[in-house]
């Protein structure tokens, strides 16, 4: 019976089912861990006040968020230098986010549970999210305006919230003026400089052109002075107010409102207040720029750069992949050469991605981009325009990387179309090109979309080649803005995959960066799923549309 059961192939079916089930369980477990760690980061945690016995015998106060717990067996703890009593089986330690990095030099600390004399969560403990130096934990003492105290005690909290709301409005106006208005002026002045140099190189620089460019420069200078006057007033307004806060040691620290994002007291917040805070933080994460070496703030530039690059890569790779597949299947004479090309295409799919990055840097950036600069942008020399890594070269490099997938998928789709369809079209008087364009390619479009889905899934998660051909840690401007020609293919950009690598492995503050690694990883998965779902919906629509013809 056992031999017959083995010969029937049932064991292998069960083994395959078990392997697939194990893989699914592991994938779900990883996604669950990433989701819990990433999404939970934005929930306001309780701020605890510890009375802690230090090694020198003094009891000191420690304020912060309980982030993690470590349980170490006594034997292992002794081997690492900890003194353990005979009745202690384990060493329990808490990781506390104490913040106040500008005061203490570090914002995380491990404390031992056995040395905690008391812990409580007073209502007056507050969290100050700052643009620099991370979070501050302490108590609000007073609010100052122009160096004078205007509120203390219970009234200080209400006044502080009002002042911070006003400061945020001013800060947004400052950001708008600096990035949009003054940024456009600087961009225009640079274009004028290049235009002048171009005219000089072509020996077309004369009094008339000099007068025209001088007039445009004067207009830009007048606008710049106007915006500078506005900025001066706004900076003076935002710098006049500050908060006076007490640290855990009892000392006072003055925090300018210009450096504060928000303040809140998590120990007094109810469920709805926490949900509102959570939504605000999540929206900030998705819509704001990074700050504090990418360990705080948002990741919108990385989201934008990832989606933009994937869209451009798809636009480039699809026509080239389809044309190559159509030639191999419909026009090329089937023989040794064609088989050799197919083998080469299949082998290209297995080349390590970093090799594509090196090729893109050497050929696209230095050779192709350098020649483009020499031919079309000589006035920019010695500064490169296209002879440096950027969005265009990153998109083309990933298009080359994913090209074999699109070719193979499209060719498989073409091979599944019945020969009778082609013969019927030709019999009705259509040419081969008309048959191909109006009948064969539409019926093969679901297979094309399958190749595109696979290409998007791989390209969105690639990091190694992008580090060489355009991705940077922080891009000051987006590739798409309001300045002509609006889409700047020569600009460097941010990418979610590289952002995860940078925050996780290059951050100077590992503990602070860890939650953002999970959150960004989850977002990258969601972006890939969203792009793939869009392509899958289109593919299914095309499949249903042409299913009757295939039948």
């Amino acid at each position: 019976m056992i031999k017959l059961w083995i010969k029937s192939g049932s064991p292998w079916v069960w083994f395959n089912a078990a392997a697939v089930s194990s893989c699914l369980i592991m994938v779900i477990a990883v996604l669950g861990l990433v989701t819990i760690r990433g999404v939970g980061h934005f929930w306001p945690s309780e701020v605890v006040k510890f009375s802690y016995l230090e090694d020198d015998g003094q009891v000191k106060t420690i304020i912060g968020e309980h982030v993690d717990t470590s349980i170490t067996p006594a034997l292992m703890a002794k081997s690492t230098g900890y003194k353990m009593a005979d009745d202690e089986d384990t060493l329990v330690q808490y990781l506390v986010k104490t913040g106040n990095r500008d005061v203490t030099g570090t914002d995380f600390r491990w404390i031992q549970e056995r040395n905690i004399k008391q812990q409580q969560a007073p209502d007056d403990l507050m969290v100050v999210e700052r643009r620099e130096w991370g979070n501050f934990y302490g108590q609000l003492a007073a609010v100052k305006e122009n160096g004078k105290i205007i509120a203390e005690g219970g009234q200080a909290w209400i006044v502080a919230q009002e002042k911070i709301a006003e400061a945020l409005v001013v800060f947004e106006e400052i950001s708008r003026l600096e990035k949009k208005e003054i940024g456009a002026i600087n961009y225009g002045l640079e274009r004028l400089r290049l235009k002048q140099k171009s005219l000089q190189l072509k020996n077309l620089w004369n009094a008339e052109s000099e007068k025209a460019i001088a007039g445009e420069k004067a207009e830009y200078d007048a606008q710049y002075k106007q915006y500078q006057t506005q900025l001066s007033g706004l900076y003076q307004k935002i710098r006049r107010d500050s908060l006076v806060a007490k640290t855990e040691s009892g000392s006072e620290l003055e925090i300018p409102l210009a450096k504060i994002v928000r303040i809140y007291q998590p120990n007094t917040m109810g469920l709805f207040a926490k949900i509102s805070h959570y939504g605000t933080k999540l929206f900030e994460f998705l819509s704001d720029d990074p700050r504090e070496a990418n360990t705080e703030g948002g990741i919108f530039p990385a989201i934008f750069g990832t989606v933009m690059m994937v869209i451009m890569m798809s636009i480039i790779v699809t026509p080239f992949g389809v044309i190559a597949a159509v030639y191999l299947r419909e026009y090329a004479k089937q023989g040794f050469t064609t088989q050799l090309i197919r083998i080469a295409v299949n082998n290209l799919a297995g080349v390590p991605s970093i090799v594509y990055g090196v090729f893109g840097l050497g050929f696209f950036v230095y050779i192709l981009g350098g020649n483009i600069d020499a031919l079309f942008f000589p006035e920019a020399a010695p500064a490169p325009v296209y002879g440096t890594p950027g969005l265009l070269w990153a998109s083309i490099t990933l298009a080359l990387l994913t090209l074999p997938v699109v070719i193979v998928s499209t060719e498989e789709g073409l091979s599944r179309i019945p020969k009778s369809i082609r013969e019927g079209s030709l019999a009705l008087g259509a040419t081969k090109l008309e048959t191909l364009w109006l009948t064969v390619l539409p019926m093969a479009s679901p297979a094309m979309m399958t190749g595109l889905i696979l290409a998007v899934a791989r390209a969105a998660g690639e990091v190694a080649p992008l580090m060489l051909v355009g991705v940077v840690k922080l891009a000051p401007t987006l590739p798409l803005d309001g300045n002509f020609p609006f889409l700047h293919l020569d600009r460097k950009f941010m990418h979610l995959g590289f952002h995860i690598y940078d925050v996780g492995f290059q951050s100077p503050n590992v503990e602070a960066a860890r939650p953002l690694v999970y959150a960004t990883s989850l977002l990258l998965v969601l972006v890939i799923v969203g792009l793939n779902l869009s392509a899958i919906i289109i593919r299914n629509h095309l499949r249903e549309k042409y299913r009757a013809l295939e039948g």
Side-chain angles (χ1 to χ4, degrees), residues 279-293:
T280 302
K281 289 281 291 179
L282 187 60
F283 179 76
E284 177 189 275
F285 177 70
L286 297 175
S287 61
D288 280 5
D289 293 341
R291 61 176 189 268
E292 282 291 289

Side-chain angles (χ1 to χ4, degrees), residues 16-283:
N16 286 332
V20 172
S21 301
S22 300
C23 292
L24 287 175
I25 291 172
M26 288 188 287
V27 169
I28 293 172
V30 170
L31 291 178
L33 174 65
V34 170
T35 302
I36 293 173
R37 294 290 183 89
V39 175
H41 168 63
F42 306 105
W43 188 261
S45 302
E46 184 181 60
V47 180
V48 183
K49 182 178 181 181
F50 297 94
S51 295
Y52 188 72
L53 179 63
E54 298 284 0
D55 294 337
D56 57 5
Q58 296 183 1
V59 178
K60 295 185 179 179
T61 300
I62 298 175
I63 297 176
E65 299 178 16
H66 180 191
V67 177
D68 199 2
T69 301
S70 172
I71 301 177
T72 309
L75 187 61
M76 185 179 297
K78 288 179 181 179
S79 65
T80 54
Y82 289 100
K83 295 180 180 180
M84 303 292 295
D86 294 336
D87 58 343
E88 288 183 303
D89 297 328
T90 58
L91 175 65
V92 181
Q93 298 183 94
Y94 296 156
L95 178 62
V96 180
K97 184 178 181 180
T98 57
N100 306 6
R101 188 164 70 245
D102 50 336
V103 178
T104 62
T106 180
D107 52 0
F108 283 88
R109 179 178 177 182
W110 284 99
I111 62 175
Q112 300 176 23
E113 183 188 42
R114 60 184 180 177
N115 291 344
I116 298 174
K117 300 302 179 183
Q118 186 183 15
Q119 65 181 70
Q120 50 188 339
D123 291 344
D124 62 344
L125 293 181
M126 70 170 180
V127 180
V128 182
E129 289 188 23
R130 301 182 288 183
R131 303 185 192 280
E132 299 175 358
W133 300 107
N135 286 358
F136 173 88
Y137 298 92
Q139 298 166 308
L140 180 62
V143 180
K144 285 185 176 182
E145 182 178 311
N146 291 325
K148 297 180 181 179
I149 295 177
I150 60 173
E152 291 182 295
Q155 188 67 20
W157 183 259
I158 299 174
V159 175
Q161 293 284 14
E162 294 174 353
K163 290 291 185 180
I164 290 173
E166 295 174 2
L168 289 176
V169 173
V170 175
F171 185 82
E172 289 178 1
E173 180 65 13
I174 290 174
S175 299
R176 185 188 70 83
L177 289 175
E178 290 181 339
K179 292 182 178 180
K180 185 177 180 181
E181 306 298 344
I182 295 181
I185 291 174
N186 291 333
Y187 183 78
L189 288 172
E190 177 62 17
R191 287 178 63 87
L192 284 179
R193 186 189 70 82
L194 294 176
K195 182 179 179 181
Q196 176 180 337
K197 191 174 179 181
S198 176
L199 291 173
Q200 291 173 344
L201 290 174
K202 296 176 182 178
N203 294 323
L204 297 176
W205 181 250
N206 51 40
E208 183 179 351
S209 57
E210 182 179 2
K211 182 179 178 181
I213 289 181
E216 292 185 49
K217 282 185 178 179
E219 292 181 7
Y220 281 127
D221 289 338
Q223 294 177 16
Y224 181 78
K225 290 179 181 179
Q226 179 183 354
Y227 290 132
Q228 279 296 102
T229 303
Q230 294 182 33
L231 283 176
S232 179
L234 292 173
Y235 273 118
Q236 186 176 0
K237 184 178 180 180
I238 202 174
R239 288 170 179 168
R240 70 184 183 186
D241 301 330
S242 61
L243 301 183
V244 179
K246 289 184 178 180
T247 65
E248 57 190 22
S249 63
S251 61
E252 292 187 348
L253 179 68
E254 190 169 334
I255 308 174
L257 292 191
K259 296 182 179 181
I260 296 177
V261 179
R262 67 175 58 86
I263 63 172
Y264 60 97
Q265 294 175 322
N267 297 346
T268 63
M269 296 171 68
L271 178 61
F272 290 106
K274 289 185 175 182
I275 292 174
S276 176
H277 177 89
Y278 180 85
T280 302
K281 289 281 291 179
L282 187 60
F283 179 76

Side-chain angles (χ1 to χ4, degrees), residues 312-335:
M312 287 191 59
M313 181 274 303
S314 302
I315 293 173
I316 295 170
V317 73
T318 302
F320 281 98
V322 170
I323 290 172
V326 167
Y327 174 77
L328 290 174
R329 176 58 57 179
E330 302 292 332
Y331 288 96
K333 183 179 179 181
Q334 303 302 312

Side-chain angles (χ1 to χ4, degrees), residues 415-444:
S415 65
R416 289 198 298 267
I417 297 175
K419 188 177 181 181
S420 58
I421 297 292
R422 296 177 175 83
E423 293 174 348
S425 177
L426 294 172
L428 291 173
T431 64
K432 186 172 183 178
L433 180 60
E434 290 173 338
T435 299
L436 181 67
W437 183 255
L438 300 177
T439 304
V440 176
L441 285 182
M443 293 180 65

Side-chain angles (χ1 to χ4, degrees), residues 406-526:
V406 178
I407 293 176
V408 172
S409 298
T410 304
E411 193 173 359
E412 288 294 327
L414 292 172
S415 65
R416 289 198 298 267
I417 297 175
K419 188 177 181 181
S420 58
I421 297 292
R422 296 177 175 83
E423 293 174 348
S425 177
L426 294 172
L428 291 173
T431 64
K432 186 172 183 178
L433 180 60
E434 290 173 338
T435 299
L436 181 67
W437 183 255
L438 300 177
T439 304
V440 176
L441 285 182
M443 293 180 65
S445 56
M448 300 177 197
M449 294 305 301
T450 300
L452 184 60
I453 291 168
L454 296 173
V456 167
R458 183 176 183 188
E462 285 292 347
V463 177
L466 295 179
M467 295 169 64
L468 300 174
V469 290
V471 167
V472 290
K473 176 186 178 73
L474 182 63
T477 53
L478 297 176
L480 184 66
D481 59 20
N483 299 319
F484 182 83
F486 310 116
L487 179 59
H488 306 275
L489 300 177
D490 57 312
R491 286 184 182 173
K492 296 175 175 59
F493 64 102
M494 295 181 67
H495 185 271
L496 285 172
F498 182 76
H499 186 81
I500 294 170
Y501 164 77
D502 176 69
V503 173
F505 299 99
Q506 303 295 320
S507 174
N509 196 343
V510 178
E511 295 295 343
R514 185 176 298 157
L516 285 182
V517 173
Y518 288 111
T520 309
S521 300
L522 176 62
L523 184 61
L524 178 59
V525 171
L526 293 178

